Amino acid sequence: MIIIITGASHAGKTALAQKLLEKYNYPYLCVDHLKMGLIRSGYTDLTPLSNWDELTGYLWPVVREMIKTAIENEQNLIVEGCYIPFDWAASFEPVYLKQIRYFCLVMSEDYITSHYDDIKRFSGVIEQRLDDSECTPDFLLKENRAVAEGCRRYGIQPVVIDGDYFTSISQCCEK
């Protein structure tokens, strides 16, 4: 089984991946780690500040083929990160799609405005962010609107985080 977790910045992708790792003992691939490894090694001229389309276009072909290899080898894997295109399913034949569960996390506007302090407090629960100054309510609202719009445009049903975070993501934790 492959589990893909994507979504807006600070939506809890890494925390969910860690929770699933602990529950099912599936390893996970953090696409941000792959990104930084390729950038720091000099394999790309892209930077952490490159736009989402450029980074996704560069990273997705590698991630896609890693997913196919894991399926072919009958291995479980959690893939977590924001560089997953909305049309991800078009990259796979039906035989692969049967082995993939996909979750796109989006925080509601009400959740962002009423839980902003929690979002900031928990942003480092799994990983320490070197610079989290971009995480403002306006940034989160803009990011989540964009991801929700991408989901709507591609017919994806997002996992909407509204109210209690763990209740909202509970559907992701069922096999």
Side-chain angles (χ1 to χ4, degrees):
M1 173 65 61
I2 306 299
I3 301 170
I4 298 174
I5 304 167
T6 192
S9 179
H10 292 76
K13 299 178 294 293
T14 306
L16 176 58
Q18 181 69 35
K19 184 175 179 69
L20 292 171
L21 174 147
E22 292 168 2
K23 182 172 183 172
Y24 297 118
N25 294 312
Y26 292 1
Y28 78 84
L29 167 69
C30 175
V31 180
D32 276 340
H33 292 172
L34 176 62
K35 171 188 77 175
M36 292 309 299
L38 292 166
I39 289 171
R40 287 181 170 175
S41 66
Y43 282 115
T44 180
D45 292 330
L46 296 171
T47 73
L49 301 176
S50 295
N51 76 42
W52 183 86
D53 289 329
E54 288 177 309
L55 287 164
T56 301
Y58 185 74
L59 295 167
W60 178 243
V62 176
V63 172
R64 175 193 68 216
E65 296 308 316
M66 291 173 76
I67 291 170
K68 287 180 181 178
T69 301
I71 292 170
E72 290 161 359
N73 291 341
E74 298 183 15
Q75 293 173 296
N76 299 311
L77 181 64
I78 301 163
V79 177
E80 170 271 312
C82 63
Y83 304 108
I84 310 292
F86 289 106
D87 65 347
W88 69 274
S91 298
F92 299 99
E93 297 171 10
V95 66
Y96 293 105
L97 289 172
K98 291 179 194 174
Q99 298 297 316
I100 300 172
R101 293 189 65 203
Y102 171 90
F103 301 105
C104 185
L105 307 182
V106 177
M107 293 181 284
S108 73
E109 291 190 13
D110 286 342
Y111 184 84
I112 293 167
T113 56
S114 62
H115 291 87
Y116 175 71
D117 290 339
D118 291 335
I119 294 166
K120 283 292 283 186
R121 187 171 69 248
F122 290 111
S123 69
V125 70
I126 302 297
E127 61 186 349
Q128 298 304 310
R129 297 172 185 264
L130 295 178
D131 179 11
D132 204 24
S133 59
E134 75 192 21
C135 184
T136 64
D138 288 340
F139 169 80
L140 293 174
L141 290 166
K142 180 180 175 187
E143 284 277 307
N144 281 273
R145 284 182 196 125
V147 172
E149 172 57 24
C151 287
R152 189 198 59 73
R153 198 171 343 118
Y154 286 90
I156 296 168
Q157 181 64 44
V159 176
V160 179
I161 300 167
D162 190 30
D164 179 68
Y165 174 79
F166 291 104
T167 301
S168 297
I169 65 160
S170 64
Q171 65 184 325
C172 306
C173 299
E174 302 165 358
K175 264 192 177 179

